[in-house]
Amino acid sequence: MSFPRPHLRLARWLRAQQPRFRFRPLLIWGCLLLCSALAVVSVTQASAQNLDRSLEQRENQIIRQFSLPRPPSRPPVAPARRFAPPPVNPRAAPRPAEPKSTARQPASAQTPASAKASVSAQAKPKPNSSFTQVVQFNRSPVVGNRLRLEGPFAETRLAFTRPADWNVKSAEAVIRFRHSTALDSSESNLTVRVNDTSLGSFPLNLRDTNIGEARVPVPAGVLQDANEIAIIAQHKNATQNCTSADDLTLWTEVLPDSQLVFQYEAQPLALDFGRYPRPFFDPLNLGTSHLSYRVPTTLDGDWLTAAARFSAHLGRLAEFRPLDQSLIRSLSPLQSRLQQWGSIVIIGTPANQPDLKNLDLPFKLVGDQFLDGNGRALPPDVGVLVATTTGAEQYLPVLVASGNGPQGVAKAVQALVQSPDRAITTGEAVLIDRVDNIPTPSEQAWPGYLPPGNSLTLADLGIRRDVSLRGSNAPPLAINFRALPSEAFDPRHNTLTVRYSYGAQLDPRRSTIEVLLDGVSLGSRSLDSPTGDSRRSLSVTLPGNLIQPDSQLQIALRMRPQSATACTASADQQLVGTIHTDTSFELSRYESFELPDLALLRHGFPFAAPQDLSRTTLVLPESPSDAELELLLASAERLGRLSQAASVKLNAQTQNSLTPQIQAAQHLIALGSRARFPLPEALKANASSFDLGSSLSRLRGETRLQTLPDRQGVIAEALSPWNRERVLLTLTAQNEQGLRQVREFLRRDNRFFQVQGDTVLIDVDDQIKILNRQTPRRIERLNWAQQFTRFLAQNWYLLPFITVLSALLLFGISHAFVQRALPGRESL
Amino acid sequence: MARRPRRNRNQSPFSAPATTATPQADSLAIGIERLFSTPPFNRLSLAQVVGLMLLLVLINIPLVVASVQIWQQGIIALVVTLLGLWLSRFERLRGLLVWLSLLVTFRYLYYRTVYTLNLDSGPVDAVASLLLYLAEVYAVVTLLVSYFQNAYLLERQSPPLPDNPADLPKVDVYIPTYDEDVNIVRETALGAMALDYPRKQVYVLDDGRPDRYAKGDARRTLAQQRREQLRQLCQELGCTLITRNNNEHAKAGNINQAMAKTDGNLILILDCDHIPARNLLKDTVGFFQDRLVFMVQTPHWFYNPDPFERNLLAAGQVPPANELFYKVIQKGNDFWNSAFFCGSAAVVRRSLLQEIGGIAVETVTEDCHTSLRLHKRGYRSVYYGKTMVAGLAPDSFASLVGQQVRWARGMAQILRLENPLFAKGLSLPQRICYFSATFHFFYGIPRIVYAVAPVLFLLFGINPIRGLGLETAAFAVPHLLLSTAASFSAYKRVRFSFWSEVYEFALAFYTAWVTSLALFNPKAGSFNVTAKGGSLKQRLFDWQSSRPLLLLTGLSLLSLFAIPFWLILSPDAWQAVLLNTIWNVYNLSLLSGALLVNLEQPQVRRAHRLARELNTLIHAEGRSWVGKTVNISKLGALVKLEGWQVLPQQVELEIFGDYSARVSLKASVVRVEPRPDDNTDVSFNFAPDLSQLQQDNLALVIYSDVRQWYSQEPKRLDNPLHSFWMIASTLIRAIRDPQPADSHRLRLSVDAVAHLHWPDGNSTPARLTAIDLNGLRLELPPDIVRRLELQSRTRPILELSIHKRAEESALGRFIVSIPASQFHQVRSTARPESSNLVTLRQAIGVELEFPTRLQPRQGSHIQTVLYQLDQNYSPQVVG
């Protein structure tokens, strides 16, 4: 029998075709000639027309070497503040630091504290006067109303920062505590350390659970920008000879009204872009940072885009720190309001921002044009960044992002929001000629989340060195194992192979290694060699449905000493285990998500994919109101907080400048009060949706009701009517008050992270109502095999039938095969 | 030419000829076949069909990888397995079963690969895990290629030959010999000469050179004698003896050297113990009308039980070991044009053989190697499935081991030297078929690994399968059962369930060793001739060579004792323990069978009986009886006669072959077995002093004059449970001594009177109760019996007259002998106890015989008396 050979047939066919291509070289030469002739003709025509323009360009290229104005003799500074710190958001509070033995996060990543005694410290403004700030423990969500230290040895840590403009004179930790009456007063004590410097110990000798107060002076020299206060309790039971680790009577409560009291003087900050974002925004600030945007005379897409990008950028800088962005219409308000303004941001051309004329700028402003040092107007596409001050005594820092044309302004803002460009800015003023276009990262590149790829190691998750865990109570190694919001995992095909070693002297019967995902134990194995072992491995299956965007994986070594008695708790430092960096993950992940789903918005999805926000456009009504602008800033800030990339490419448009192309290609966030809503078609009610009708009426399906008054804000997500792969997020309300509700909702973490469903109604009293009005659409990017596999896994009962069906088909086909092959053999 | 076989064109592929299909299965199969014979399928070319099949296979990947919960997999497994087992009843739907089995097998393999490799629990576990995994992969690969190989079993019909004998190609018949018994060669040469083909010449190629022994060596003289006998034999029979003066390349060299001296167009190669049937050439030469055909192979068939059948005491109850190869695999190979030469019983084309320099000499399986080379040149082979030779299987397990080891080594050599997978010139199916043939012999190490794995777990706690438990079972059981069912469906006539495993276990250590050795050094190893034709008188256990198997069995047995400890010490591992226990018990049953193959059982018969139905005439005493042989050997025959017959001791037999051969010889009756179906089975022993002509004719009748060998259509069907029980219960049978069957004497039951005439002149009347041509039975009072006993000691001859009634005259007077042995029996069995005394007093039966020496004189007289005593002549079993 002979098998046909397709490749031979193909070769024959090609040979047969060859003669037709014999004239190919001629043809190619002909084409080339024609093309070059056309090019010459068009170039000569174009050059005639564009002669002037090219001349100008060439001229510009020469002029690009601008001469700069003479620098000031003394570096400019933002004078020290004249006010006591304003009362901060009472919810912002310190958080306990991660335990020391695990991967430690930078201490600066802690929430500033609140000021309890701020009222008392609100002294009259006086030059170089000292201020008092009280930071209480109780605002931390972890501290809440209790901070308990249990066991023979217990330690807790809280982190706090020192704002950049503080010159701390003195500080004091006031620890208020209560402890168990079972403690042996002679051998139980409480130690306070700040930045690993022990500052004092106190015996735990109170009677009858009285409240004790320990005042520990903290030397100013100990304090750094990021600080950590550790409270260590050593407990011993008075009635027993030895102390058991499990003894429940060994406790000390540090009361939540314990506090840190700082005495400081405000100090001036240099106006230098090398130190950006200071003085405009201080990441170390303990309270809320305030920024005010000067509203330009005309509001167009360019300004909205620039402001949105800047706001998103600030959101990224602030991370979880509170930030208050507001709008001002004039730079000459009442003195009393100045302190609410914080730093001032002026974005726009001199024509659009008339206040620029009143500022002390290094560049001369003639007419509406910036001039360089030689008195020539800067080209319109050159951006100007200036750090300056204003206010009565020039203590308000002002950030100017300007230029002689809108492109210049955009460049100025872009230079600040792009981290590589920001890193090379310095000085009081910066001229931006060109800005590199940073390529958009892929949709799957989400910093802080699982990196792309199915085979990962610990190093890919940020743990680049082996981690040793020591002691019987060693806290587990915690690994952020955050799935992308857009992805799903196969239920079974995900494995983690932990490579570990452990030392000698542990009790093989009671010591285990355990892997937990969000507290759910996935697998464990006993550490069964009493002499220790190295490079063992443990494979566990990670259940796909448990891996969430906020998942944390823990690898715990539960080590017990060999001759364990109640008193050996102290002799456990020989117990050591190491998790190696070649611990690996084999994942089976694919893109799968449902839209609309506001729960995904908690992680910024889908607007933050890609992370430079380049696929998101904010849409506002024509000539937006202040409330709408503030909502724009808050939305952009929230998106900034939820994303991380080298650049921000967020867009903002007004209703009229929104083109159909953008409408179809981008995720849209439409904001505005109902009456002025920029995309009214998105508000149209249909049978199953909730909607605000005309003023004072609401529609939901067939239900129609009128409410009086309606102060609720609405956040609703729906698939974009112009592209089923994109979403449209609606931020709206019947009136401005409602819009402010939405803004507050976006600004505050604890409220924002409750968002879910597809529609959220926000009430004045922090209440939210969640509606599900649409059937979400699942979007999956799977190849056919993955889709089929998933389908089968979900409909397992079909598996035998499909198997039989498939076998029948193959049976039939093989019959057809034999029918064709048989005659050749039988005809012998 | 191209006479189409009579096979139904719509019959299902992937199936043996359907015989037991039911209407439902038929309609389903026909429906599917019809569906794929309608547009658009019937418009597809072969390449498109192959493409479509590949596409479908790809589409099935999700079925293989879809992951579900354990209980869901359990239900899936149950449904698919039950369906598969049901399907296995219908041969016509075997293709469906094969695909179903493939799907579940791949599902298992995927699960096994992804979830169960135990690589991170230490090096020992990892090595064990990998070994077991590789062994399983081996099994899956062989399963796959065997499905492919047996996709369609080509049943060929013999093409007609030209009418004019002058147009026939000239055929040389080669009978290569080495040191075999001349009598064995004689029978083969006789058969070859008797081949029904006008243009043939028979050559005996003797390699048994006397001068390979040193001068003075006794063996040299023996070899010289043997050579001389062969020369005479050839002269006598009219064939040609070809010898050579070296022994290079053994059989292959022998044939190659002979090829230079003869000139036939075709060559029929016969092993010296392969007696050809008369029609062998007539049926096969027609295939050579296709100029590209280089060989027509016919099956080998052995009329004696192979060592497995004999030593496991299963002769006749299971198909012989080589049946699978010749009844299924070669037919499957033939479909893919890769049926290969098996060394004997094949006709080859000289010109094509010479094109590649004759038979290949590089490996010890020269036959397969030769066909591989010819296939590489694009020539075709034909496998004609009709059994046309009768041969002798190795008579002891040791010689079977020698043969198998040679094949294993040779196949491994081919795989190594001329890897068929990558050989140029072969088509893809040929590559697969040859790969399958060579790769098969690597079963040794995997087989050992399967046996060791549960032992490792139970005895040493080494776990080659991670998470072995019910989940593993849920994946493995459908795979195992469906592949077994698919094999069952194809092999149920030729290989019974679990016997392959026994064969493999028994040979595992030997083949594992030689295949591994051949992989490293393919040049090593020489040709060894398989010894045949011997016979074994006693039970013999080969302790020496069965040591590894004994060790393995011992360990398996020992590990059963570990089970209680497991259950007590780690009860949570019950799933793993359960599965390992089942596995171990299964292994143990097979191992016990494999071990008992080493226990050589004695051969009961001196010559092997063939179940042939030959017309037979029995002449004696002027009378003739017509019968048919039930079985026949060179020493005797069992003949079935109609009605219950009384035969004299000595008879003349005339036996006729299927065509024209006949033999007439003297025989004596050994045993008579009246059958309930009103027939009589009579066993004859042929006279020991047969003339050479008689012997030759007898051989021709038995082995050559055969229309169709009875083994062509196997009658027994596999029953897996029974088959397993047969293996598991071997031990019980093996220790029992084989007993020859009882003989039943057929006599006329009469009520007559006999007078005993004592030497002193007195006579005593006695009651005559039974009589036949050999003797009679009297009932006598005890005192007379005592007298008879006395007489038997002194002079055991007596005169006796028979009367129909006491008052009538004597019908005849005869001399009878008194067998003395019966009186001992009487005394020992019937003790004169008080209760029995009365019966003893009344009458005692005594047997008297007509002496054989007087048979010629008395015989016809006795016959007459018998008719007078019983007009109906209805013999019965008496006494």
Side-chain angles (χ1 to χ4, degrees), chain B residues 247-491:
Chain B
N247 284 85
E248 270 178 16
H249 304 311
K251 182 176 163 186
N254 198 359
I255 293 173
N256 286 343
Q257 184 253 8
M259 248 187 333
K261 297 182 181 168
T262 67
D263 61 348
N265 310 97
L266 306 177
I267 300 169
L268 165 65
I269 297 173
L270 289 172
D271 275 355
C272 69
D273 61 336
H274 278 171
I275 309 169
R278 208 177 130 90
N279 278 352
L280 173 52
L281 287 177
K282 241 183 174 173
D283 282 359
T284 51
V285 167
F287 289 108
F288 286 94
Q289 292 167 65
D290 182 333
R291 291 174 169 280
L292 289 178
V293 168
F294 71 84
M295 175 203 70
V296 178
Q297 173 74 49
T298 69
H300 293 183
W301 172 70
F302 306 125
Y303 52 86
N304 59 333
D306 64 39
F308 286 103
E309 289 180 80
R310 203 187 60 245
N311 293 347
L312 298 184
L313 303 163
Q317 300 183 56
V318 295
N322 67 356
E323 204 83 322
L324 170 62
F325 179 73
Y326 288 108
K327 288 235 161 77
V328 175
I329 294 177
Q330 276 283 61
K331 288 179 184 173
N333 278 344
D334 194 25
F335 175 73
W336 298 115
N337 186 24
S338 41
F340 58 82
F341 179 36
C342 303
S344 169
V347 185
V348 294
R349 196 191 288 275
R350 167 203 298 281
S351 56
L352 298 184
L353 209 54
Q354 279 173 333
E355 205 177 286
I356 55 159
I359 306 272
V361 294
E362 289 82 356
T363 55
V364 293
T365 44
E366 74 291 338
D367 36 20
C368 179
H369 198 176
T370 305
S371 17
L372 174 65
R373 286 189 174 165
L374 284 159
H375 274 135
K376 273 159 78 172
R377 291 179 167 242
Y379 298 121
R380 302 183 189 167
S381 62
V382 167
Y383 178 74
Y384 181 58
K386 188 173 168 189
T387 304
M388 306 287 273
V389 297
L392 278 172
D395 46 27
S396 69
F397 180 61
S399 55
L400 182 123
V401 167
Q403 183 195 53
Q404 294 285 327
V405 157
R406 175 162 67 82
W407 291 351
R409 174 187 287 137
M411 290 305 199
Q413 282 174 327
I414 292 176
L415 189 67
R416 176 73 206 289
L417 294 175
E418 217 158 324
N419 192 334
L421 270 187
F422 308 107
K424 264 188 204 163
L426 292 183
S427 68
L428 182 67
Q430 284 177 327
R431 282 165 209 258
I432 295 174
C433 290
Y434 271 103
F435 175 72
S436 169
T438 51
F439 193 55
H440 162 75
F441 283 94
F442 288 83
Y443 59 79
I445 293 175
R447 198 34 77 189
I448 297 168
V449 170
Y450 298 147
V452 169
V455 174
L456 284 183
F457 178 82
L458 291 173
L459 275 190
F460 306 108
I462 297 169
N463 197 357
I465 302 177
R466 190 169 63 146
L468 178 67
L470 296 182
E471 188 184 29
T472 325
F475 282 93
V477 167
H479 150 63
L480 293 173
L481 286 186
L482 287 196
S483 56
T484 311
S487 303
F488 168 80
S489 175
Y491 304 159

Side-chain angles (χ1 to χ4, degrees), chain B residues 856-878:
Chain B
R857 270 196 283 158
Q858 292 192 151
S860 55
H861 200 179
I862 300 171
Q863 190 83 54
T864 318
V865 170
L866 290 188
Y867 276 106
Q868 286 171 337
L869 283 174
D870 184 358
Q871 302 298 329
N872 296 330
Y873 198 76
S874 53
Q876 287 166 11
V877 181
V878 179

Side-chain angles (χ1 to χ4, degrees), chain A residues 345-365:
Chain A
V345 180
I346 299 179
I347 298 171
T349 56
N352 217 357
Q353 291 284 12
D355 277 342
L356 288 178
K357 295 198 180 81
N358 307 327
L359 293 175
D360 178 19
L361 299 177
F363 296 100
K364 272 187 194 157
L365 253 179

